[in-house]
Amino acid sequence: MKKSLGYQTTIDYYDCDAGVINSVDTVRAILVKAAEIMKLSVVNTTIHEFSPIGISGVLVIEESHIAIHTWPEHNYVALDFFTCNERYDLTEGIKWIQEKFKAKKYRTQSSQRGFLDEINEDESA
């Protein structure tokens, strides 16, 4: 694996409980608890409720950020974890969030961001 500055994990949660994923207070509480489970340190939270439905938000964490977008009308949640270190194991928190959102399934994808060899190459040019 190449050395990079950031590690991004995206999770798509399907068939969620629309009432759960359309409640700002519930979503905030779930994400803050999930961060605790994953040993991530929350610095600040901003979550916006759209009218008539849907939520977007971000938790700034010392390790980078957690972002969420919900579509209750489709029972769907898109969640991003961006961390500055690959040592964070997000698995337990991702499964816990699935349980709390009452999602029937989820899919994860991971990628690296800011490859150091490419950054250093640019600096030497």
Side-chain angles (χ1 to χ4, degrees), residues 16-35:
C16 299
D17 182 300
V20 171
I21 65 170
N22 198 45
S23 167
V24 169
D25 292 337
T26 301
V27 167
R28 179 183 293 111
I30 289 169
L31 294 181
V32 168
K33 179 64 177 176

Side-chain angles (χ1 to χ4, degrees), residues 45 71 97:
T45 64
W71 286 264
I97 292 169

Side-chain angles (χ1 to χ4, degrees), residues 82-118:
F82 190 81
T83 60
C84 57
N85 190 319
E86 67 183 324
R87 72 177 171 84
Y88 298 104
D89 183 2
L90 307 177
T91 306
E92 185 180 350
I94 290 168
K95 289 180 180 178
W96 188 84
I97 292 169
Q98 177 191 17
E99 178 185 316
K100 296 304 175 186
F101 286 168
K102 300 179 182 176
K104 292 191 174 109
K105 65 180 179 176
Y106 69 91
R107 178 182 312 231
T108 64
Q109 295 182 42
S110 297
S111 62
Q112 293 175 260
R113 308 279 305 271
F115 293 105
L116 288 175
D117 58 349
E118 293 179 31

Side-chain angles (χ1 to χ4, degrees), residues 33-71:
K33 179 64 177 176
E36 180 183 315
I37 289 168
M38 294 178 272
K39 297 178 178 47
L40 302 171
S41 305
V42 176
V43 175
N44 198 357
T45 64
T46 299
I47 300 179
H48 175 76
E49 183 176 9
F50 293 99
S51 180
I53 59 175
I55 292 171
S56 287
V58 65
L59 278 70
V60 177
I61 56 176
E62 287 182 8
E63 301 79 10
S64 197
H65 71 262
I66 302 168
I68 187 167
H69 305 282
T70 74
W71 286 264

